[in-house]
Amino acid sequence: MGKLRIRILALIICFSVVFCISNAQDINALSCAESGSPQEELERNTGAVYGEVKQIKVDLKQEGFTGTKEKFRYILVEAERSWNTEVDSQLMIATNYTWGFDFKESNKYLIYFSEANGELSSSPCSSTIEMNNINQATELFGEGYPPKQQVNLEHKMWFVFEQDIDMYIVGIVVLAAIFILFMIVRKKKGKV
């Protein structure tokens, strides 16, 4: 009985050490250069869009199963006008949860965005501007482009989750394995 206790204690310590090491968090520092004029900001980014923020959701992203967890805020924007590049009538833009601009639903903004790996993002260092009137934006950049096509991206916002669902998946798999094991043992006892 003493050896069993030592083995169980050793397993608990091993799992605890692995859990603590695998959940280490990276620390990021933010250093922004001065953004300059609105035209210089537009040249540094893929484009800019003026529109109303329809929805805001936070998503937890993780590299692999035990990688670093980082929260991103996704905003659904109803675009009225864009500059440097044509966009659809709605777009999802990712911003950093910790450092990103504090967007409010139903407010209108001029948002500078970049595109990488098929995802649009707004840097915490970009000069996002809250604007009530599109005339302010057209005075800065000219007429720009109207939306190229009407789209509805609200369904994509359904798949944005703030909670870490990995542990739920692991729990379901463990419960399913226990249930299957229980059924196999029960079936073998019934044959004997």
Side-chain angles (χ1 to χ4, degrees), residues 59 64 180:
D59 192 18
I180 291 170

Side-chain angles (χ1 to χ4, degrees), residues 24-36:
Q25 296 290 321
D26 290 341
I27 297 174
N28 300 314
L30 181 63
S31 175
C32 296
E34 285 193 33
S35 58

